[in-house]
Amino acid sequence: MQNSTRPLTFILKEFNQLDLCELYSLLQLRNEVFVVEQNCPYQDLDNKDFVAHHLLIYSQEELVAYARLFRSGISFAEASIGRIITSKKVRSSGMGKILMEKSIQSLYELYGFQPIRIGAQCYAIPFYQKFGFETDGDIYLEDGIEHIEMCKKN
């Protein structure tokens, strides 16, 4: 999907700045991947959307990647990135790398240069290690999927 004729649009907004179409698109993408594709019925709406910055990446008019960014003290003691997701249509295109680079950069711009913690699905450990994240703790089950905390200490 991504190529030189389809530039990417990056949007970073607080919850109350999202328009209805942006909100619908991000919830639709999260539902498509986390609930349907991963066959994991879980409560996605956890009230953290209200205190997050939302990073949306569009190719043309279509949302292709998304993440939530949090200041320290919300999800973890450290600042954090969550709901890291790419559309199935752009997987293996480098979009995940773009999303993580922009998420880390945006988090530093919002909250300063500091450690970042994530709760990663275990299969994705090698992917996050490419960005300087290291496993920190034991594997745990979240909604029936193995996760592990990872921290980028800078």
Side-chain angles (χ1 to χ4, degrees):
M1 170 165 242
Q2 181 203 352
N3 61 45
S4 59
T5 62
R6 294 188 180 198
L8 299 175
T9 302
F10 300 89
I11 296 172
L12 181 65
K13 293 183 175 182
E14 294 180 28
F15 182 81
N16 62 357
Q17 297 171 321
L18 294 167
D19 68 33
L20 290 176
C21 290
E22 292 164 340
L23 179 60
Y24 185 90
S25 293
L26 74 86
L27 292 174
Q28 182 180 44
L29 182 60
R30 285 173 18 185
N31 185 68
E32 269 178 31
V33 175
F34 293 133
V35 178
V36 177
E37 185 180 320
Q38 295 182 355
N39 193 25
C40 183
Y42 79 109
Q43 184 59 43
D44 178 43
L45 301 178
D46 59 4
N47 292 313
K48 289 183 183 178
D49 287 315
F50 299 115
V51 294
H53 277 83
H54 301 267
L55 175 62
L56 302 96
I57 302 177
Y58 286 87
S59 176
Q60 301 295 84
E61 301 294 318
E62 185 174 0
L63 181 64
V64 294
Y66 167 82
R68 296 193 303 190
L69 311 179
F70 296 104
R71 64 176 167 76
S72 60
I74 302 295
S75 291
F76 300 104
E78 301 87 355
S80 62
I81 304 170
R83 298 293 196 266
I84 301 163
I85 189 170
T86 57
S87 168
K88 195 173 190 174
K89 296 175 184 175
V90 296
R91 301 231 181 98
S92 301
S93 72
M95 186 59 63
K97 179 178 185 273
I98 292 168
L99 174 62
M100 282 306 297
E101 289 172 346
K102 187 68 173 175
S103 294
I104 292 166
Q105 174 194 352
S106 297
L107 199 131
Y108 288 156
E109 289 171 2
L110 288 167
Y111 306 118
F113 194 70
Q114 61 183 297
I116 301 170
R117 185 169 295 272
I118 61 174
Q121 292 184 7
C122 288
Y123 80 88
I125 291 170
F127 173 76
Y128 294 119
Q129 286 174 329
K130 294 175 186 174
F131 302 96
F133 286 90
E134 298 176 2
T135 57
D136 186 20
D138 297 324
I139 293 173
Y140 61 93
L141 282 180
E142 184 175 311
D143 302 311
I145 299 172
E146 288 187 335
H147 284 70
I148 191 162
E149 288 184 17
M150 298 185 79
C151 192
K152 177 178 174 58
K153 297 183 180 171
N154 307 317

